[in-house]
C-alpha cells in the first residue's frame, strides 16, 4: 500500500480546565440526588418520556439487558425499574438524539476532532451510516456497506499470514455476535482475538483457573442474603456496579457484616439510600460497611497475610477457626501456606499495608466466628504486577474457612462490562482450547488454528512493529481503554486498515490506520427485526435481551449481520459455511453454540425468562480438574515498590459520571468533585511535605526503562488517601502506564499501581 501522509492527530486531546468546584465527599450513595441526576441526564440526551419508557424495559425478563455493568438481575425484577443511576446514563448515551452524519464529518476533520476531550467526542452522537477515512484524507466520508466489506476482504487477502490481522472484542457484544466473530476469525486462520478482559479481569481468570478449576466466580445473587460476612476489596460498587448495593443491603438486613478493604473510603459502601424504598428517599438509608480497612495501594497481599496469620495463630492454639475437614478432603498445599504465614513478621506486614492493627483485629474476629464468607473484587486487585497473586490470596482465605461450594460463600469477581464474561464463554480468547477446536471441527468441518494468538498488549506491540497490519474491533474504544496511550495510538496509525464496529464516535476512530472504516451497528436498546440476542451476567447466568427502541438510523446493521457479511466477502458465496444464513438467523447461531459448547442445551428456549446458569464446578466444591482433584492453596510474594522520597504509587479510577471509557459528565459527586476531570487526589500530609498546595497545577511523570511518560496539567486535591498514594481518573492517566509493564501470567496492564513523580507546572 502506498505510504499516506501522516495525519496530525492528538492521542489525548487538547488539555483545558473547566470550572472546578470541590466540596466534602458525600457520605451516602443513591437516594434523591441519584434520582435527580438520572432524570436530568436522560431528559437532556434522549427526552424524558422516551427515556422513561425505555428504562421500564431494562433488565426485565421480556426486555433488554443494561449495556453497562454485568451485575445480575434478581429473580423478580422490580416493577419500579431494575436499574441504577449509571444504568440510566448508559441508556441515555445510546438513545441520544444527537447524530454523527455526513454533514458532521464534512464540517469536522479527524485532526480537529482529535483535539476535543473524550467527553465532547462521546457527546457527538450516534453514527448513522458507514464511513471511510481514505489515505489522502482527513475527513471521513460515506461509503456503502457493500464497498466496506469489499475493502475489508481485499486487505485481509493481501496479508502474508492470517496472524498479521488483529480481531478485538469489547464486552458489549452479544453471545451470538461473539460466537460468530470467533468462528470467522478461526476460519480465517488465526487466534489473534484480544478482548477487553485482557485489560481487566484476566488476572481473575488465571488465578481462579489455577486454584479452583474455573476462571469464573462461584457465587450467585441469592448467596448474598445468606452470607455472614462479605468482603469488598479493591472495588467501588457505588459508582461501578451500583445495583450491587441492593445485594449488600439484603446481606445487612439478614444480619450479615461487611468488611471493606480499599485505599479510598467510597460513599456507596458507607451508606446506601435505596431509591426504591421509602427509607431510601426520606430516611437515613442503610449503613453498609462495618469495618473499613484503608489499605495502601497494592498492599492487599500484606493485609490478607496478616489477617490469616492471626487466624492461624488462634487455630493453632486450639480454637476451631479453620475448616479442617474441608482442608483435608478438598485442598492441597495447606502446610506450605502455614509455613509461609509463619515466616512473615507481623510488624513488617502491618507497616506495609498501613492499616490500624486494632481494625485488623476486628476483621479477624468476624472471620474467626463465621464460615459463610463472600469475597468480591474488581480492578483494584487485578491491575497490578502481582494481580494474579492478589486473587490467589483471597482464595487462600476462603479455602481456610471452607467458604467455597456452600450457600452464602465463595468468590465474586465483579465484571465491568455487560457481556465480557459471555464473550469469553462462547470462544473469544487468544488461548488455544483443544476441546473447543475439536468441537468446531466436528460441527463446521474445518481445523481451527492451534497456534496461540496475541492478547491485547502483544497485539499493540505487533501493530507498533509493523507485524500486524489490519485491526478490526467489534465494539469498544480501544485506544482509550488500553495502556500507554501514545504508543497505542501510534500502533493503530501504523496499520494499513482499521475497522470499528461502533454505535457512537470515540477516540479510536481518530487514531486510525491508513484506511479506516466505521461500521455503525444497533445498540442494545434497539429493535432488531423481532430477533433477540443473549448475554451472560457476571455470575454465569445466560438470558435473552431484546431491544425496544426504533434504530437511530435506517442504515444500521446488527453485529451478527456485519460479521456474516465480512465473512461472505472474504470466503465468497460458495464457502463451506453459510455465513449469511447464520448472520440473520440467531436461533441457528444458538443451535450451533449448543452443538459446540457444553451447558447450552435447548439454548433459545432456556434463555427466555430468567435464563439459565452455565455449569460451574466450584459451586459443588468439585475440583476434579485440578492436580490431585483438589483446590490449590498458593504461596504469594509480598509486593515491593521501593519508592524514592519524591515518588508515589498512583492508581487510576473512574469518576461517578463515567462507565469505562465513556464519559457521561464532568462530575464525581460522591468524591465532591464538580466540573473537572484533570485532578489528582493526594494525602494532605504528603502535600505539605512536598510543599504543594490545594488545586496547584502539576504534571504526573512516570519513568520506566529510562523512558519518561508525562500526563500534563492536573490539579491537586487534598483527600483521605494513604500516605505515599495518589489517585486520578482514566483514560486521562493511561498515558503513564508502560505498554510492557503488566501482571505476571495474565498480561493485564498495571493501571492501579504506577510509580510517578509530581512536577510543578
Amino acid at each position: 500500500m502506498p505510504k499516506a501522509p501522516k495525519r496530525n492527530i492528538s492521542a489525548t486531546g487538547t488539555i483545558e480546565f473547566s470550572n472546578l468546584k470541590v466540596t466534602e465527599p458525600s457520605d451516602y450513595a443513591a437516594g434523591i440526588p441519584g434520582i435527580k441526576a438520572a432524570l436530568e441526564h436522560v431528559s437532556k440526551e434522549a427526552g424524558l418520556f422516551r427515556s422513561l419508557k425505555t428504562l421500564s424495559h431494562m433488565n426485565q425478563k421480556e426486555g433488554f439487558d443494561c449495556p453497562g455493568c454485568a451485575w445480575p438481575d434478581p429473580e423478580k425484577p422490580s416493577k419500579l425499574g431494575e436499574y441504577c443511576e449509571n444504568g440510566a446514563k448508559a441508556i441515555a448515551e445510546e438513545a441520544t438524539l444527537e447524530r454523527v452524519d455526513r454533514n458532521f464529518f464534512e464540517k469536522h476533520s479527524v485532526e480537529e476532532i482529535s483535539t476535543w476531550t473524550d467527553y465532547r467526542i462521546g457527546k457527538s452522537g450516534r453514527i448513522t451510516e458507514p464511513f471511510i477515512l481514505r489515505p489522502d484524507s482527513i475527513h471521513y466520508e460515506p461509503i456503502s456497506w457493500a464497498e466496506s466489506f469489499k475493502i475489508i476482504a481485499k486487505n485481509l487477502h493481501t496479508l502474508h499470514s492470517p496472524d498479521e490481522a488483529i480481531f478485538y472484542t469489547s464486552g458489549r457484544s452479544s453471545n451470538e455476535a461473539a460466537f460468530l466473530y470467533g468462528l470467522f476469525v478461526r476460519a480465517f486462520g488465526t487466534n489473534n482475538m484480544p478482548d477487553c478482559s485482557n485489560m481487566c479481569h484476566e488476572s481473575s481468570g488465571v488465578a481462579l483457573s489455577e486454584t479452583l478449576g474455573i476462571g469464573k466466580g462461584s457465587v450467585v445473587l441469592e448467596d448474598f442474603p445468606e452470607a455472614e460476612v462479605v468482603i469488598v476489596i479493591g472495588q467501588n460498587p457505588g459508582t461501578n456496579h451500583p445495583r450491587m448495593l441492593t445485594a449488600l443491603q439484603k446481606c445487612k438486613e439478614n444480619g450479615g457484616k461487611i468488611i471493606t478493604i480499599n485505599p479510598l473510603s467510597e460513599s456507596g459502601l458507607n451508606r446506601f439510600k435505596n431509591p426504591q424504598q421509602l427509607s431510601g428517599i426520606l430516611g437515613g438509608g442503610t449503613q453498609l460497611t462495618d469495618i473499613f480497612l484503608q489499605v495502601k495501594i497494592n498492599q492487599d497481599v500484606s493485609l490478607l497475610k496478616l489477617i490469616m496469620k492471626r487466624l492461624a495463630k488462634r487455630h493453632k492454639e486450639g480454637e476451631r477457626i479453620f475448616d479442617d475437614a474441608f482442608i483435608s478432603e478438598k485442598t492441597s498445599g495447606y502446610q506450605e501456606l502455614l509455613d509461609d504465614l509463619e515466616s512473615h513478621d507481623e510488624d513488617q506486614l502491618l507497616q506495609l499495608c498501613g492499616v490500624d492493627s486494632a481494625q485488623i483485629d476486628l476483621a479477624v474476629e468476624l472471620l474467626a466466628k463465621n464460615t459463610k464468607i463472600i469475597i468480591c473484587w474488581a480492578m483494584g486487585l487485578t491491575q497490578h504486577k502481582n494481580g494474579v497473586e492478589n486473587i490467589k490470596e483471597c482464595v487462600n482465605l476462603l479455602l481456610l474457612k471452607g467458604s467455597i461450594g456452600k450457600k452464602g460463600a465463595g468468590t465474586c469477581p465483579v465484571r465491568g462490562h455487560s457481556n465480557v464474561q459471555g464473550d469469553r464463554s462462547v470462544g473469544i480468547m487468544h488461548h488455544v482450547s483443544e476441546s473447543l477446536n475439536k468441537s468446531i471441527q466436528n460441527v463446521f468441518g474445518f481445523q481451527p488454528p492451534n497456534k496461540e494468538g496475541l492478547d491485547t498488549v502483544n497485539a499493540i506491540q505487533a501493530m507498533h512493529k509493523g507485524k500486524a497490519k489490519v485491526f478490526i474491533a467489534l465494539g469498544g474504544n480501544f485506544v482509550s481503554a488500553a495502556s500507554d496511550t501514545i504508543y497505542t495510538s501510534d500502533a493503530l496509525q501504523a496499520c494499513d486498515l482499521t475497522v470499528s464496529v461502533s454505535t457512537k464516535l470515540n477516540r479510536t476512530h481518530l487514531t486510525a490506520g491508513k484506511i479506516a472504516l466505521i461500521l455503525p451497528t444497533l445498540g442494545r436498546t434497539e429493535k432488531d427485526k423481532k430477533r433477540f440476542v443473549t448475554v451472560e451476567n457476571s455470575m454465569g447466568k445466560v438470558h435473552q435481551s431484546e431491544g425496544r427502541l426504533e434504530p437511530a438510523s435506517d442504515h444500521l446493521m446488527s453485529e451478527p449481520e456485519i460479521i456474516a457479511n465480512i465473512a461472505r466477502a472474504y470466503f465468497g458465496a460458495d464457502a463451506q459455511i453459510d455465513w449469511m444464513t447464520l448472520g440473520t438467523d440467531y436461533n441457528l447461531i444458538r443451535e450451533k453454540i449448543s452443538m459446540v459448547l457444553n451447558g447450552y442445551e435447548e439454548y433459545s428456549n432456556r434463555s427466555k425468562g430468567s435464563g439459565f446458569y452455565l455449569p460451574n464446578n466450584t459451586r459443588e466444591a468439585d475440583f476434579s480438574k485440578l492436580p490431585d482433584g483438589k483446590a490449590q492453596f498458593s504461596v504469594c510474594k509480598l509486593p515491593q515498590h521501593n519508592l524514592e522520597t519524591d515518588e508515589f504509587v498512583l492508581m487510576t479510577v473512574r469518576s461517578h459520571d463515567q462507565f469505562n471509557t465513556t464519559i457521561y459528565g464532568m462530575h464525581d459527586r460522591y468524591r465532591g468533585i464538580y466540573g473537572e476531570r484533570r485532578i489528582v487526589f493526594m494525602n494532605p500530609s504528603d502535600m505539605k511535605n512536598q510543599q504543594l498546595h490545594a488545586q496547584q497545577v502539576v504534571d504526573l511523570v512516570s519513568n520506566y526503562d529510562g523512558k519518561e511518560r508525562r500526563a500534563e496539567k492536573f490539579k491537586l486535591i487534598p483527600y483521605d488517601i494513604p500516605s505515599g498514594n495518589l489517585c486520578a481518573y482514566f483514560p486521562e492517566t493511561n498515558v503513564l502506564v508502560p505498554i510492557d509493564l503488566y501482571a505476571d501470567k495474565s498480561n493485564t496492564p498495571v493501571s492501579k499501581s504506577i510509580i510517578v513523580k509530581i512536577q510543578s507546572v
Side-chain angles (χ1 to χ4, degrees), residues 194-205:
D195 69 315
C196 60
S197 64
N198 295 154
M199 294 182 274
C200 54
H201 267 291
E202 195 72 45
S203 296
S204 298

Side-chain angles (χ1 to χ4, degrees), residues 175-481:
N175 283 354
E176 290 76 10
F179 178 80
L180 194 62
Y181 194 50
L183 184 68
F184 164 66
V185 175
R186 290 182 174 91
F188 173 69
T190 186
N191 283 310
N192 286 350
M193 287 182 278
D195 69 315
C196 60
S197 64
N198 295 154
M199 294 182 274
C200 54
H201 267 291
E202 195 72 45
S203 296
S204 298
V206 172
L208 294 174
S209 295
E210 292 185 355
T211 56
L212 301 177
I214 186 172
K216 300 181 181 182
S218 66
V219 302
V220 297
L221 189 59
E222 291 73 23
D223 283 316
F224 279 81
E226 302 277 342
E228 296 167 330
V229 179
V230 176
I231 301 176
V232 181
I233 179 171
Q235 186 193 358
N236 175 17
T239 286
N240 299 336
H241 319 90
R243 289 194 300 140
M244 180 180 173
L245 300 181
T246 302
L248 296 177
Q249 181 186 37
K250 290 180 179 179
C251 171
K252 290 299 296 283
E253 289 172 347
N254 284 3
K257 302 294 184 181
I258 295 173
I259 300 171
T260 297
I261 302 174
N262 208 45
L264 299 180
S265 175
E266 304 289 7
S267 301
L269 288 169
N270 291 335
R271 191 155 47 101
F272 173 47
K273 290 190 175 185
N274 192 331
Q276 297 191 349
Q277 296 177 351
L278 187 61
S279 61
I281 301 296
L282 302 178
T286 302
Q287 189 73 30
L288 294 181
T289 295
D290 296 283
I291 301 171
F292 175 46
L293 306 180
Q294 190 171 23
V295 68
K296 290 186 176 181
I297 292 174
N298 195 30
Q299 289 298 338
D300 307 276
V301 167
S302 307
L303 174 59
L304 291 169
K305 282 186 186 295
L306 184 51
I307 289 172
M308 289 186 288
K309 186 177 179 71
R310 291 182 178 180
L311 288 170
K313 180 180 179 182
R314 292 173 58 170
H315 186 72
K316 185 177 181 179
E317 291 172 350
E319 292 187 63
R320 196 163 183 264
I321 304 294
F322 298 156
D323 190 331
D324 290 323
F326 178 88
I327 292 170
S328 175
E329 180 184 352
K330 296 286 188 178
T331 73
S332 176
Y334 175 54
Q335 189 57 51
E336 289 86 347
L337 176 69
L338 293 182
D339 292 343
D340 174 69
L341 295 176
E342 185 69 24
S343 70
H344 290 287
D345 178 72
E346 278 207 23
D347 291 338
Q348 181 199 22
L349 295 175
L350 197 62
Q351 182 180 11
L352 285 171
C353 72
V355 181
D356 180 73
S357 183
Q359 287 294 105
I360 296 174
D361 280 337
L362 293 176
V364 168
E365 190 63 32
L366 261 187
L367 295 169
K369 296 187 297 185
N370 295 288
T371 60
K372 292 183 177 182
I373 302 165
I374 295 173
I375 301 183
C376 308
W377 69 87
M379 306 302 95
L381 288 194
T382 63
Q383 292 181 327
H384 300 281
K385 181 68 175 174
N386 62 319
V388 171
E389 291 202 331
N390 281 338
I391 313 307
K392 287 186 174 182
E393 206 72 270
C394 293
V395 173
N396 283 340
L397 177 57
L398 292 172
L399 292 178
L400 288 174
K401 297 296 297 180
S403 299
I404 296 283
K406 64 172 63 173
K407 288 184 178 180
T411 55
C412 184
V414 184
R415 307 285 176 170
H417 214 159
S418 61
N419 198 41
V420 60
Q421 186 161 291
D423 289 353
R424 182 61 61 90
S425 294
V426 299
I428 295 296
M429 57 184 169
H430 62 282
H431 301 295
V432 177
S433 167
E434 292 183 7
S435 60
L436 177 60
N437 279 4
K438 184 176 181 181
S439 292
I440 289 175
Q441 184 174 10
N442 290 338
V443 174
F444 291 101
F446 73 89
Q447 175 63 54
N450 56 16
K451 175 186 174 184
E452 181 159 318
L454 301 177
D455 62 13
T456 295
V457 167
N458 286 301
I460 295 169
Q461 292 174 326
M463 290 187 287
H464 199 275
K465 296 173 183 176
K467 295 181 178 180
K469 301 174 181 178
V470 173
F471 174 82
I472 300 178
L474 186 64
N477 181 4
F478 188 79
V479 75
S480 293

